[in-house]
Amino acid sequence: MKKILVMGGAGYIGSHTVKHLLDNDYEVVVADNLIYGHLNAVDKRASFIHADLLDTISLQRVFQNYKIDAVVHFAAFTYVGESVENPEKYYYNNVVGTVNLLNTMKNYGVKKIVFSSTCATYGEPKYMPLDEKHSQNPINPYGRTKLMIEQIFSDYAKAYDLEYIALRYFNAAGAASDASIGEDHNPETHLIPLVLKAIKGERASIKIFGTDYDTPDGTCIRDYIHVEDLALAHRLALEKLGSYSGCINLGTGVGTSVKEIIKAAEDVSGKKCPVEYAERRAGDPARLFANNSKAKDILGWQPKYNDIKDIVQTAWNWELKKSSWI
Ligand code: UDP
C-alpha cells in the first residue's frame, strides 16, 4: 500500500483529500502546524504528526518516522488581503516553507509531489474560460507565492527529477457528502459559508461586493468546484506522477454569479438570505471560470457535482451539523 504524506491535512481541502485517500486504500500521514487546521477534521484512520514547514527539524522527523512514497502539499496561507498587508508572512511560509519541504524530500529520496496551486496565478483574465496557457501575472503576493512555487517545481524537476503536479483550483466549495467534515475558516471570507451563516442568523447579512459588473445580473461570476471533486483530482494526480509533470486547472467549467449562489442557498435552506449591496472588492475580476479539458484528458477527471444547488446543499448540511461538531 502506498504511504502518502498530506502536509496541511487538517485544513479544508486537505482533510477531504485525506478522507478520500483513506477510502481508496492509501495509507495516510497528516502533518500540520494546526495554526488554521483543526485536529478533529483529521480522519482517525490517518497518522497525525505536528510539523511546520519553517521548522526543518520537525519536517525531518516526519520523513524519519514514516517511509513516505509521495507528498500532497496544502500547507499554505491563503488570505489575499493579508498577503498584501503582510507579504513577509506569505513569502516565508508559502515559498521558503515549500523549499524546505522539497529539500527534505530530496534528502529522504522522495520525488513525488502534488500541490495546491490556484487560478490566482493567472492575474487579470484576458479571455475566458481560462486555460493553462493563459499568461500568469498574479496581482497580489498570495498569487505570486503560488506562481513562484510552480516555477521552483519546474526547476527542481529539471535538476533533481522531481515529479510534480500543481493543481490550479478555482473556487473550492461544499462539504463531505456525509457531512462529517466541511469548511471552517477563521476568519471566514468565502461567499458560500458567509451566505449560509447569514441565513442561519449568525451574521446580520451578506454583503454583495458590486452589482455593476459586466455580467448578466451585474454580480461576479466564479467557478465553484466541490471539495470532493478536488480530493478525487489529487488522488488521480498522485497516480499520474511519473508519466506527467506540470500544472492543471481544476474547475467545473461553469460560472455562477453571487446572486445565483444566494438564490441556491435560499432554495436549499428554504429561508431568505438578508442581503446588503456594497462596493466592489479590490482585485475582483468580473468572471473567472476554467477550461478543464486538461484535467479531463490527463487525469481522466470528471467532476461529480455539476449543479450548484447540490454543492450548496452539502455546505448547508455541514453548517447545520457544525455547531454540534465544535
Ligand atoms: N463575495 C461577496 N461577498 C462576500 C464574499 C465574497 O460578494 O462577503 C463575492 C466576491 O466578490 C467574489 C465571489 O463572491 O466575486 C467569491 O468570493 P470568495 O471570497 O468566496 O472567493 P474568491 O473568488 O475571492 O477566491
Side-chain angles (χ1 to χ4, degrees):
M1 197 196 298
K2 287 259 160 53
K3 194 169 278 188
I4 310 298
L5 169 64
V6 182
M7 264 327 288
Y12 173 40
I13 306 167
S15 60
H16 288 79
T17 302
V18 168
K19 183 172 185 300
H20 177 83
L21 289 172
L22 290 162
D23 289 343
N24 285 275
D25 298 328
Y26 284 87
E27 241 179 274
V28 178
V29 177
V30 171
D32 202 293
N33 61 12
L34 297 178
I35 291 178
Y36 289 116
H38 308 275
L39 194 52
N40 48 358
V42 178
D43 197 299
K44 299 284 173 288
R45 294 169 290 171
S47 309
F48 178 81
I49 182 161
H50 195 282
D52 190 301
L53 292 175
L54 297 177
D55 173 0
T56 48
I57 303 288
S58 74
L59 286 180
Q60 283 166 25
R61 206 178 303 126
V62 175
F63 288 88
Q64 254 157 27
N65 287 358
Y66 299 96
K67 172 90 195 67
I68 301 296
D69 295 298
V71 177
V72 188
H73 172 22
F74 294 98
F77 292 141
T78 60
Y79 291 104
V80 170
E82 186 186 50
S83 80
V84 175
E85 281 153 29
N86 190 1
E88 175 185 350
K89 176 173 173 179
Y90 280 70
Y91 287 111
Y92 201 41
N93 180 79
N94 294 7
V95 181
V96 176
T98 300
V99 172
N100 285 343
L101 175 63
L102 289 178
N103 293 346
T104 311
M105 287 170 59
K106 186 153 87 53
N107 290 340
Y108 285 84
V110 179
K111 292 199 163 190
K112 294 175 189 290
I113 189 164
V114 173
F115 174 65
S116 339
S117 190
T118 165
C119 65
T121 59
Y122 293 118
E124 198 57 51
K126 298 202 170 74
Y127 59 84
M128 210 50 63
L130 282 169
D131 60 24
E132 291 82 354
K133 294 195 180 78
H134 189 283
S135 55
Q136 288 181 291
N137 294 301
I139 57 170
N140 51 60
Y142 163 66
R144 278 190 278 278
T145 64
K146 294 279 182 161
L147 176 57
M148 284 176 192
I149 294 166
E150 288 187 1
Q151 292 166 335
I152 292 167
F153 284 151
S154 165
D155 289 338
Y156 272 53
K158 283 181 206 126
Y160 312 125
D161 298 325
L162 180 75
E163 296 166 13
Y164 75 96
I165 294 183
L167 297 169
R168 294 181 185 151
Y169 311 158
F170 283 67
N171 290 57
S177 40
D178 62 5
S180 56
I181 45 175
E183 191 166 9
D184 191 14
H185 296 113
N186 187 15
E188 187 53 80
T189 59
H190 293 113
L191 179 65
I192 294 176
L194 291 179
V195 167
L196 298 178
K197 284 178 203 311
I199 287 178
K200 275 171 84 189
E202 287 175 13
R203 296 172 58 86
S205 65
I206 181 76
K207 286 194 170 118
I208 300 184
F209 295 145
T211 51
D212 57 352
Y213 284 98
D214 181 20
T215 58
D217 67 17
T219 65
C220 282
I221 289 176
R222 295 288 179 274
D223 184 336
Y224 296 88
I225 170 170
H226 194 267
V227 66
E228 288 181 339
D229 284 326
L230 286 176
L232 164 67
H234 286 78
R235 175 172 64 81
L236 297 174
L238 278 171
E239 290 165 2
K240 195 73 196 171
L241 289 173
S243 55
Y244 176 83
S245 280
C247 302
I248 300 178
N249 281 346
L250 280 184
T252 61
V254 176
T256 307
S257 74
V258 174
K259 282 189 176 167
E260 286 169 336
I261 291 289
I262 294 170
K263 168 83 172 61
E266 290 180 337
D267 288 350
V268 160
S269 64
K271 295 184 182 146
K272 209 69 197 139
C273 180
V275 163
E276 269 181 74
Y277 297 105
E279 291 299 303
R280 289 183 177 198
R281 189 173 65 178
D284 265 343
R287 311 158 187 261
L288 279 178
F289 51 95
N291 175 327
N292 59 14
S293 315
K294 195 168 170 185
K296 289 178 172 165
D297 293 348
I298 290 186
L299 302 180
W301 175 79
Q302 193 67 46
K304 296 203 173 90
Y305 284 86
N306 289 297
D307 185 336
I308 193 64
K309 249 172 101 168
D310 295 338
I311 295 177
V312 173
Q313 179 74 61
T314 65
W316 178 242
N317 295 346
W318 159 247
E319 276 296 333
L320 292 180
K321 190 175 164 200
K322 197 166 54 177
S323 340
S324 58
W325 183 77
I326 295 164

